Amino acid sequence: MIKAAGLKKETVCLQVMELAQAKLLSMHDIKIQFPAVSPKAKLAVVDCILMLDFEVRRENVQLMEASLVASHMRTAFSVPKDLVYRRSGYPSEPIIAEAACRQLASWTEQKPNAFLEIVNENITSGLLNYGELGELTGRALMGCLPARCTT
């Protein structure tokens, strides 16, 4: 696709990136102000970057995860027959990761502690698996912090 774009390569690449951001947010306006963004869209961006581990035994978490699969580019890898939980996550596509980083960088310009606010909201709400918080902290410290996500 990029090779076929020829002289319009930069424009095509920008359009693809903006489309990925819009799909990740599940909205057309990727320049939306941080306070106006839905909690699910905020979670989707951070989830894509940090590969969050959800507390799958809670019903509200299962509903949130299903919503992320339905509207925010999270991929369902498997669903057992009993439908009690699902295995899902964000694919390792570089375009999706870059879209998440660009969106987070935009929010960080608006609100410097946006990343920490999103993570804290989801830890205190019980969405994340407390047993995996050490690993989450490690992934954040090993290079997934917003400062590493540059455009």
Side-chain angles (χ1 to χ4, degrees), residues 68-138:
L68 291 174
V69 168
S71 301
H72 295 278
M73 291 183 67
R74 189 171 175 94
T75 302
F77 300 127
S78 68
V79 180
K81 287 182 181 181
D82 60 10
L83 301 176
V84 174
Y85 66 93
R86 67 192 43 78
R87 297 282 181 221
S88 67
Y90 284 91
S92 61
E93 298 294 330
I95 290 175
I96 297 172
E98 178 66 17
C101 284
R102 286 181 184 215
Q103 193 63 52
L104 188 57
S106 169
W107 292 341
T108 303
E109 287 176 10
Q110 298 172 31
K111 185 171 188 169
N113 65 343
F115 174 78
L116 295 174
E117 183 179 303
I118 297 167
V119 172
N120 188 46
E121 272 178 29
N122 290 290
I123 288 172
T124 57
S125 70
L127 282 177
L128 302 180
N129 184 343
Y130 286 110
E132 301 294 327
L133 292 182
E135 288 83 351
L136 172 63
T137 303

Side-chain angles (χ1 to χ4, degrees), residues 8 11-12 17 22-23 27 38 51 64 79 83 125 130:
K8 296 185 179 187
T11 304
V12 170
M17 191 58 59
K23 292 287 190 178
M27 60 179 41
S38 75
M51 302 173 293
M64 176 63 81
V79 180
L83 301 176
S125 70
Y130 286 110

